[in-house]
Amino acid sequence: THCFYEVFDSKDELLAAILEKQFKTAGEYLQRTIDPTSPPVDQVWAHVEEMINFCFDQRLDRAFALFATYWRSLLPHYRELAERSVQALLLTLVNALAEGQARGVLRSPDPAADAMAIYHLITALFFDRPVNTVHREEMASTVRRFVARALDLR
């Protein structure tokens, strides 16, 4: 415990650091796995699918439990860290949306805001549900439908 308080002032500070690292690691994973040379629409769908996969990956259960439990309580005190963390996670999606808008293959006048909306849709469907009520395909279908409409994808 003594060593803990030499590095972190509180349990919340430790949890915020853990969550930041998890977001950074997830963002790096997305950058490695989503091919930046593929068409922007394919990149958008790959990012959406990977974010949904994160929600249902059993290897991440503990991390998501930690996230779900503490994220909203940490937001008021660590807003800058939270914004930086989510931006790192969404970097590949923002870039794909911007490129797609520039090429005229999708509609995204504000790629950062659109990426954030997609993030909030996915996390809300996953975390704000009654326990064990959302199945992966049901959630993915809902997300795909809304993203396709919002970005004018076919």
Side-chain angles (χ1 to χ4, degrees), residues 98-113:
E99 184 179 344
Q101 171 73 18
R103 290 186 185 186
V105 296
L106 57 82
R107 185 186 54 197
S108 181
D110 187 345

Side-chain angles (χ1 to χ4, degrees), residues 97-126:
L97 291 170
E99 184 179 344
Q101 171 73 18
R103 290 186 185 186
V105 296
L106 57 82
R107 185 186 54 197
S108 181
D110 187 345
D114 292 338
M116 189 64 76
I118 292 168
Y119 163 80
H120 283 297
L121 173 62
I122 292 169
T123 57
L125 284 172
F126 187 73

